[in-house]
Amino acid sequence: MRYLRTSSRTDDARLLELIDECCDEVSRCVAPKTLHRIFDCTVYEGKVVIGEYEFVSKRLAENLKNCKRAVVFGATLGTECDRLLRTYSAVDMTRATVLQACLASKIEEVCDCLEDGLRSQGFALRQRYSPGYFDLDITENEKIFELIDLTKRIGLSLTDTCQMVPTKSVTAFIGIEDD
């Protein structure tokens, strides 16, 4: 319901049935893939250096303050999701809207599972932070793609405007708090 921008409580049986149908379809069609690497990082005022790459962002630097390591990751639900969205967008906008919300929820679930796995290994993590939010320009995705080779390893690609394909994909940084 969160991704539909509606109340978390509804008595509309038709809407609830449509949500269930779309969530079931998402569960059948997604092929989640993730890739992460842990890097040493150096945090400066207004920028973070990971490997040979400099990420300019005051907010990212604040998020990673006092971290000496960071997780850099990519996650995707796969290409079938894009096909479903295109199909339903052409024939049933209501279903397409609900499907979009179910897919957004699913990619968040995939990211949360990646974080849970890292926590189960004993890592204390900061909040994830993605290009395109606040002052971390979306073009920084280019550096992330080079840093962890997302195209070759999990099939993600970037458009000339740095949008990811498949569209239900995420890249992010997660600071690791040192003991």
Side-chain angles (χ1 to χ4, degrees), residues 19-32 77 80-81 84-85 88 95 98-107 109-110 168:
I19 292 169
D20 287 344
E21 288 172 9
C22 287
C23 287
D24 288 346
E25 191 162 16
V26 165
S27 293
R28 287 190 308 274
C29 85
V30 298
L77 295 182
E80 182 63 16
C81 300
L84 277 175
L85 281 172
Y88 286 129
R95 183 173 285 273
V98 172
L99 184 67
Q100 178 84 298
C102 292
L103 290 167
S105 178
K106 188 65 164 182
I107 191 65
E109 180 183 311
V110 168
K168 289 302 174 192

Side-chain angles (χ1 to χ4, degrees), residues 46 57-64 129 133-136:
S57 165
K58 183 177 179 183
R59 288 245 176 125
L60 177 63
E62 288 169 0
N63 183 281
L64 299 181
Y129 198 93
Y133 289 96
F134 298 106
D135 66 340
L136 183 60

Side-chain angles (χ1 to χ4, degrees), residues 74 107 112-113 146 174:
I107 191 65
D112 290 345
C113 284
E146 291 175 16
I174 308 170

Side-chain angles (χ1 to χ4, degrees), residues 13 16-17 27 30 33 48 60 70 87 107 110 121 152 157 169 179:
L16 293 172
E17 183 179 344
S27 293
V30 298
K33 293 180 184 176
V48 176
L60 177 63
T87 299
I107 191 65
V110 168
Q121 296 174 43
K152 183 177 180 180
S157 59
S169 302
D179 296 330

Side-chain angles (χ1 to χ4, degrees), residues 1 4 6-17 19:
M1 297 297 260
L4 287 173
T6 186
S7 168
S8 61
R9 298 162 80 191
T10 184
D11 295 327
D12 186 331
R14 291 176 303 163
L15 176 59
L16 293 172
E17 183 179 344
I19 292 169

Side-chain angles (χ1 to χ4, degrees), residues 45-65:
E45 176 131 358
K47 69 180 178 182
V48 176
V49 176
I50 298 175
E52 62 188 53
Y53 297 98
E54 183 176 287
F55 298 91
V56 178
S57 165
K58 183 177 179 183
R59 288 245 176 125
L60 177 63
E62 288 169 0
N63 183 281
L64 299 181
K65 186 177 181 179

